[in-house]
Amino acid sequence: METRFIKATQTHDLRHRVLIPDHPVEALVYPGDEDQTTFHVGVFDDDEKLVAIGSFYEESDSHFEGEKQYRLRGMASDSKARLRGLGKAVIVFAEEELARRDADLLWCNARVIATGFYEKMGFYSVGEEFVIPKIGGHYRMGKDYK
């Protein structure tokens, strides 16, 4: 396995297959994907197949403190490659970059089924569960770095 930076366009296939298979193609492009402060992380298997992704945007949320916040969005792993530490690899790699950028906090809207993973990675939830239409229940979760 190798974890490295990738282009936004490389995230589209996994975003579609794992996160939003019934949405139109336009939904694969998130606002800010091409911003200079945004970065995308991918994990590749031994055959150079992209098996996990995460996108990180400099974006603040008023539910959290911190002057330099980043948002994790579009975290996904190939269903055939799960339970191999891929999500952890994405987060650990991103945290090294966030440290270089002096980030105070990383936050995300975590699907209810993924909250256990984020808690193991040191995230905490704020507020009540909320629903994103056509996607389902989520919790706002964050991890402080300062």
Side-chain angles (χ1 to χ4, degrees):
M1 297 286 181
E2 182 186 0
T3 307
R4 61 182 183 247
F5 295 110
I6 60 174
K7 295 179 182 180
T9 54
Q10 291 177 275
T11 67
H12 295 176
D13 179 58
L14 272 176
R15 281 182 186 175
H16 187 255
R17 285 190 292 122
V18 175
L19 300 176
I20 50 175
D22 57 346
H23 284 62
V25 173
E26 299 79 41
L28 302 173
V29 179
Y30 296 161
D33 266 351
E34 299 294 339
D35 288 357
Q36 192 170 4
T37 57
T38 298
F39 65 96
H40 308 275
V41 175
V43 180
F44 293 81
D45 66 12
D46 295 335
D47 296 324
E48 278 297 305
K49 180 181 178 191
L50 183 61
V51 291
I53 56 168
S55 297
F56 299 83
Y57 306 81
E58 189 172 356
E59 180 180 337
S60 294
D61 184 289
S62 63
H63 293 88
F64 300 101
E65 294 183 17
E67 297 208 12
K68 193 163 188 182
Q69 298 181 20
Y70 270 78
R71 177 183 183 185
L72 164 60
R73 207 166 169 205
M75 179 88 155
S77 60
D78 189 302
S79 61
K80 297 175 190 141
R82 291 206 179 120
L83 302 175
R84 293 172 40 193
L86 303 174
K88 181 178 179 179
V90 169
I91 297 291
V92 168
F93 185 92
E95 287 180 329
E96 292 171 5
E97 180 63 19
L98 292 169
R100 283 190 284 277
R101 295 176 183 220
D102 293 321
D104 296 324
L105 176 118
L106 176 61
W107 68 276
C108 66
N109 291 330
R111 291 178 189 227
V112 171
I113 60 170
T115 56
F117 163 77
Y118 288 108
E119 287 169 349
K120 287 178 187 172
M121 295 301 301
F123 286 71
Y124 57 89
S125 62
V126 295
E128 301 295 318
E129 180 181 343
F130 61 96
V131 174
I132 296 177
K134 298 182 181 180
I135 297 175
H138 286 72
Y139 284 96
R140 188 168 283 106
M141 299 188 79
K143 183 175 181 178
D144 296 312
Y145 297 111
K146 305 268 179 172

